[in-house]
Amino acid sequence: MSYLNIQQISHYYFNQNNYTNALKDVSLSIEKGKFTALLGPSGCGKTTLLSIIAGILKPSEGTVLLQQQEINKKITSIGYMLQQDYLFPWKTILQNTLTGPKIQGELTDKSIEKAKELLEEVGLGSVSDASPNSLSGGMRQRAALARTLMTNPSLLLLDEPFSALDFQTKLKLEDFVSALLKEYNKTSILVTHDIGEAVAMSDEIYVMKANPGQIHQHFEVPEEVRNLSPFEARRHEKYHELFDRIWEELNQLEAKSKNR
Amino acid sequence: MKQKAKTGEQLFQEHVNQLKRDRRNTRYWQLFIFISFFFLWEISSRLGWIDPLIFSSPTRVSKLLSENLLNGSLWFHLRITLLETIAGFLIGTISGIFLAFLLWYSKKFSDIIDPYLVIFNALPKVALGPIIIVALGTGYISIITLGAIICVIVTALVVYNGFRSVDPNYIKVLNIFGATKWEGFKTVIFPASLPTMISTFKVNVGLAWVGVIVGEFLVASNGLGYLIVYGFQVFNFTLVLYSLVLIAIFAALMYQTVAKLEKWLIKKL
Ligand SMILES: Nc1ncnc2c1ncn2[C@@H]1O[C@H](COP(=O)(O)OP(=O)(O)OP(=O)(O)O)[C@@H](O)[C@H]1O
Ligand SMILES: [Mg+2]
């Protein structure tokens, strides 16, 4: 049995006068310590799937098992970074980082110390008392990452954490996050619609298709690329090979959905 | 190069001076209107252009003012009305926010209660005056209730809308950490809607005055609203205008205080 098992998940959203089938029969399993990317067009249910894994959205059908345990709202070993940073503007960066411990009633001197160390590590030590509004996009993302890491989650869900950033910041942050997660041996799922990012950062890639959201195909990233940092990986020839294959695949998907 | 920088500086100085001049000019006009109003009032009363028995005159009003200030009657009536207004304002605002919380907390409750809120909001609350007085007696309680009831529903509706317009993703962030609904309210909904709540304060100050004065019209045997009705009944319009001036001054002061509070709170957030 794998670390994380997603079994036959289907999800429907209901509106006033119709419904959306956001996910249909999605099953996948993820090994401990692996970095998995979910790739797919907008609206294919990536965010929905992450919310279900995080236990904050109950799927219409199916189960998610984390270490053989069915997940629920109480499980705190999952960290989830939303599509935007959602830092609380009325709190300082340090207070934002301490959100998790505060909610869980573990706001101690030790946790404050840990938060400061974490902020130091993500390069925000000097702005820990600043308001989020005075930070740049990249800094805010790093603060959100620190907030997510604060509760020491063993499974990390990242919903397009770099999509709002300029290219250069994005490359730097990719390297940074990748190194950090390797160091702590986290299991991670990264949602993105950037093929390059998926190939450069992850060990496995699942390509999804929309209407309804389904897993379309599974790719393994070659060993040579995996062991490189994202920035170096982008220059490896196998990176380009896989990039082209996935690109092809997505193009075909798009063509098919247009023909319908 | 240096020449240019100096001109920029000068232009800025001129701009600042211009702003100052404009502001001073505005103040002069305001003062002018203020003085001419009382001047005209006095003159037309003396020369009989308006009936002095009905419209009194600034000198008579200020004479009454200084008399009542000395014999303590001013403070006596003013204090009662002020306390009633502040109590009505506080009770109305706080219960309005509490009602908004209930509406937010339970969707079922808000769905059920919705049509009643709409009706009650549309109803002119002062029309409830007689019923409130019959139910609660002719004391302060009725008057405070009238002051409170007039703000409570508007507050509830406005603040509830404020609660609902908070981005649900903030709640999502907390739910990931296993937060309860109450914690979500405390940590996100309440602080995020503080500006909305404070903006209802300003409206409520005005509304509480309406409720309290009408309440005093109906039952009171002291307070500024009572003085207006009494003056009207005994045809002492100096007394009526004296009460009006006091109400105007203190309503404006209260409004300013709340506006200051708003600025201070917004800056602190
Ligand atoms: N709260 C909701 N209510 C109704 N429909 C929803 C809701 N959230 C998502 N959907 C629908 O479900 C589908 C999947 O949405 P989801 O947000 O999971 O997509 P996504 O893959 O994350 O897209 P993107 O890449 O744009 O973030 C979409 O068709 C969307 O319109
Ligand atoms: Mg999404």
Side-chain angles (χ1 to χ4, degrees), chain B residues 17-212:
Chain B
N17 288 342
Q18 183 64 38
L19 281 185
K20 263 190 203 155
R21 236 173 293 137
D22 283 352
R23 219 168 324 164
R24 216 176 309 141
N25 192 271
T26 311
R27 286 270 177 269
Y28 285 148
W29 272 104
Q30 285 166 343
L31 199 67
F32 174 72
I33 292 174
F34 183 80
I35 292 171
S36 3
F37 172 76
F38 285 97
F39 183 73
L40 261 177
W41 183 7
E42 184 71 41
I43 291 284
S44 33
S45 172
R46 290 217 179 168
L47 298 182
W49 298 344
I50 53 175
D51 188 346
L53 214 54
I54 293 177
F55 292 105
S56 185
S57 75
T59 38
R60 288 201 224 176
V61 171
S62 46
K63 195 162 149 259
L64 185 64
L65 204 110
S66 54
E67 267 172 32
N68 283 349
L69 194 62
L70 289 179
N71 68 20
S73 134
L74 187 151
W75 176 234
F76 174 73
H77 291 285
L78 178 64
R79 191 185 54 194
I80 288 165
T81 305
L82 271 183
L83 284 180
E84 284 165 352
T85 308
I86 291 170
F89 164 75
L90 286 179
I91 294 170
T93 308
I94 291 169
S95 21
I97 291 173
F98 182 67
L99 185 57
F101 168 73
L102 292 182
L103 291 172
W104 173 84
Y105 196 84
S106 160
K107 177 148 178 13
K108 185 100 191 158
F109 174 66
S110 79
D111 283 349
I112 292 172
I113 208 100
D114 183 63
Y116 300 103
L117 281 180
V118 170
I119 293 171
F120 199 63
N121 188 39
L123 189 79
K125 259 68 73 184
V126 289
L128 294 174
I131 295 170
I132 290 173
I133 288 159
V134 170
L136 300 177
T138 57
Y140 301 131
I141 309 289
S142 290
I143 297 170
I144 292 172
T145 307
L146 206 53
I149 216 164
I150 210 168
C151 9
V152 72
I153 302 295
V154 194
T155 310
L157 291 179
V158 171
V159 173
Y160 173 51
N161 259 324
F163 287 170
R164 279 206 312 181
S165 62
V166 177
D167 192 328
N169 282 307
Y170 282 116
I171 293 287
K172 218 171 164 182
V173 168
L174 295 185
N175 284 344
I176 294 160
F177 294 122
T180 60
K181 202 160 183 182
W182 165 242
E183 278 167 332
F185 180 81
K186 223 172 42 177
T187 352
V188 174
I189 303 289
F190 191 83
S193 335
L194 257 184
T196 318
M197 285 187 245
I198 295 165
S199 74
T200 66
F201 291 0
K202 279 205 276 197
V203 180
N204 288 354
V205 168
L207 289 177
W209 274 100
V210 175
V212 165

Side-chain angles (χ1 to χ4, degrees), chain A residues 11-15 19-23 40-51 57 83 159-160 191-193 208 210-211 213:
Chain A
H11 192 75
Y12 296 87
Y13 284 111
F14 303 109
N15 296 355
Y19 65 91
T20 316
N21 190 355
L23 290 173
S42 188
C44 68
K46 304 183 296 287
T47 300
T48 308
L49 185 56
L50 281 199
S51 304
L57 184 68
Q83 213 156 346
D159 196 350
E160 305 193 34
V191 157
T192 176
H193 34 217
M208 293 179 73
N211 301 318

